[in-house]
Amino acid sequence: MMESALVIVPAYNEAEVIEQTLEELRRYARQIVVVDDGSMDDTKEKAEKMGVKVLRHCANFGYGGALKTGFSYGLRYFQVPYFISFDADGQHDPSYLENLLEPLLEDEADYVLGSRFIGTEPSEIALARRLGSKIFSIGTSAILGQKISDPTSGMIALNRKVAKIFTSKFFPLDFPDADVLIMLNRMGFRIKEIGVKMRRSRRAGSMHSGIIKPAYYLAKMSLSMIHFTLRRDLKEKRREIESAF
Amino acid sequence: MLFKQKIFAIVASSLLILLIALLIKRRKLREEYALLWLATGIGALVLVIFYPILVWLSRLTGAIAPTTTLFLFAFLFIMLISISFSVKFTRLSDQMQSVIAELAFLRRELEELKKEKGSG
């Protein structure tokens, strides 16, 4: 099953944990590409030692930028029908990858989101993050008319059609989250959530720590959500992007 | 408008036009980025020299003093310039991301070729 997917691992200064993450991931995935987003430590060298392909950005471009590079690379160099995004910090549990792919294989969805809030096993999530996720969950579910419990999850699986959209200018370069779900919904893609278990990050510090970054994230994400909600031409844009390939 | 105010406005806008022209000449500023700046300088100069236009614009906007109109238009132009820069930054960051991605692909290909050559 996992032969049909390319796993993209965006990484920035993850030298401490990348080997452990890849060691675990390799037990479940055959094709892995690490996108080193201009790390200042030896993330690239450590990932290469693990025998996976590594792409290195010569400058730091953000999580979305690294994912965009991964999708572009996958579309150009791999014939796989599916892509999975997997965090380098050890938060994601690779034993759920097959579950994530299943709705794509069954053609039930174009985009599958791993949710920490579905299922019986509770994930370890910091309170601030849980609260942020809840706020965006309410907003996104209302806009989509479909229950989305974890719109900020980074554990996603998608088909080639969605990957093409993600290499366009519509894909955010910083944090692609709830706004991307609204964009895909408005473009006519099918979204499905499945339950996954996530762990605390293996290393300290996160984008969500401090005051300024989360406040910026909240403001930027809200604006982006409003933008995609109000647009009426996204189906047309989808056709334009698809025909450009 | 007081004579002193008029002289100051003429000197300031002339200096702005001169500075922009000099920057273009030295290729430190491209013509496409200079257009709005030049429009600001020339616009201010025209309004000060042809005073009745400034008075007419003041009546149109409801401003009491013509100097307020001058500042208002200067402020609007600067806002327009800032927005145009933000638009250009957005386009540049998209283009830069594509270049960085291409560079990463090429580096990867080069490394693979070197490895193949080394083992072969």
Side-chain angles (χ1 to χ4, degrees):
Chain A
M1 190 193 247
M2 288 303 293
E3 292 82 24
S4 57
L6 172 70
V7 181
I8 297 160
V9 185
Y12 177 63
N13 290 342
E14 303 283 5
E16 260 177 63
V17 295
I18 192 89
E19 286 167 300
Q20 207 183 333
T21 302
L22 291 174
E23 177 73 55
E24 199 183 6
L25 180 60
R26 276 198 319 187
R27 281 185 236 142
Y28 298 89
R30 292 261 174 91
Q31 307 183 84
I32 303 166
V33 173
V34 172
V35 184
D36 175 12
D37 190 25
S39 296
M40 286 174 288
D41 58 12
D42 49 355
T43 299
K44 179 182 181 266
E45 290 72 21
K46 287 194 170 171
E48 273 174 340
K49 253 190 229 166
M50 300 302 294
V52 301
K53 284 186 192 295
V54 182
L55 296 169
R56 181 171 158 78
H57 279 179
C58 53
N60 178 246
F61 233 84
Y63 183 79
L67 272 181
K68 200 170 174 178
T69 297
F71 292 125
S72 301
Y73 186 72
L75 285 170
R76 196 185 296 182
Y77 294 87
F78 289 79
Q79 291 310 311
V80 290
Y82 309 114
F83 300 97
I84 291 171
S85 152
F86 192 87
D87 281 1
D89 62 0
Q91 270 195 80
H92 296 166
D93 183 342
S95 64
Y96 286 88
L97 291 184
E98 287 204 355
N99 297 3
L100 206 65
L101 267 187
E102 227 172 76
L104 295 175
L105 290 162
E106 301 291 325
D107 197 27
E108 289 169 7
D110 301 298
Y111 183 88
V112 185
L113 190 63
S115 169
R116 294 162 281 193
F117 306 114
I118 296 176
T120 48
E121 286 183 82
S123 296
E124 302 162 40
I125 313 160
L127 186 69
R129 216 175 161 139
R130 190 184 285 267
L131 192 71
S133 196
K134 188 74 194 163
I135 294 169
F136 285 118
S137 163
I138 295 167
T140 314
S141 303
I143 295 165
L144 264 62
Q146 172 188 350
K147 171 84 181 157
I148 299 290
S149 63
D150 195 3
T152 60
S153 164
M155 197 173 181
I156 52 170
L158 45 121
N159 61 22
R160 282 184 90 87
K161 280 183 186 171
V162 175
K164 284 175 188 171
I165 304 294
F166 282 6
T167 59
S168 75
K169 65 177 177 185
F170 287 97
F171 191 66
L173 297 177
D174 44 11
F175 340 98
D177 279 334
D179 50 348
V180 165
L181 292 172
I182 297 167
M183 175 188 77
L184 292 177
N185 172 272
R186 294 292 193 255
M187 284 182 169
F189 288 107
R190 298 161 301 162
I191 299 165
K192 189 171 180 176
E193 260 193 320
I194 64 143
V196 294
K197 174 137 170 42
M198 285 193 204
R199 305 167 288 212
R200 275 194 192 269
S201 171
R202 285 192 180 117
R203 63 171 176 81
S206 126
M207 173 209 111
H208 299 281
S209 49
I211 295 170
I212 296 170
K213 277 188 179 177
Y216 167 73
Y217 170 80
L218 200 74
K220 188 259 160 186
M221 188 54 63
S222 306
L223 179 66
S224 195
M225 285 168 74
I226 293 167
H227 160 230
F228 285 123
T229 306
L230 296 178
R231 276 188 87 127
R232 290 286 171 267
D233 62 343
L234 286 170
K235 278 194 176 137
E236 196 185 307
K237 294 289 169 198
R238 173 186 169 176
R239 277 193 293 275
E240 278 173 26
I241 296 163
E242 284 176 349
S243 64
F245 268 85
Chain B
M1 195 180 200
L2 295 173
F3 181 69
K4 268 187 184 175
Q5 286 174 333
K6 208 168 181 174
I7 293 295
F8 177 77
I10 290 171
V11 169
S13 42
S14 303
L15 279 178
L16 177 67
I17 295 167
L18 267 175
L19 178 71
I20 300 300
L22 202 69
L23 288 172
I24 295 172
K25 192 186 162 206
R26 290 183 180 170
R27 306 310 297 160
K28 286 189 174 173
L29 185 65
R30 285 177 179 274
E31 287 84 346
E32 61 260 41
Y33 299 109
L35 278 176
L36 272 172
W37 283 113
L38 278 177
T40 310
I42 292 167
L45 205 60
V46 166
L47 287 180
V48 178
I49 293 171
F50 301 100
Y51 193 66
I53 303 176
L54 190 62
V55 175
W56 177 75
L57 275 173
S58 301
R59 266 197 227 117
L60 201 74
T61 54
I64 297 164
T67 40
T68 315
T69 315
L70 206 58
F71 278 115
L72 179 75
F73 274 86
F75 176 72
L76 284 176
F77 263 108
I78 287 168
M79 247 177 42
L80 206 64
I81 289 167
S82 302
I83 292 168
S84 86
F85 282 152
S86 299
V87 171
K88 282 187 173 101
F89 284 149
T90 305
R91 201 172 57 206
L92 273 177
S93 67
D94 280 338
Q95 288 169 338
M96 206 193 289
Q97 202 282 332
S98 303
V99 173
I100 284 178
E102 281 299 324
L103 197 63
F105 300 166
L106 289 173
R107 190 188 280 189
R108 174 82 213 155
E109 277 185 22
L110 186 69
E111 282 170 359
E112 280 173 1
L113 279 171
K114 274 186 185 168
K115 254 186 221 164
E116 268 176 38
K117 211 177 168 188
S119 62

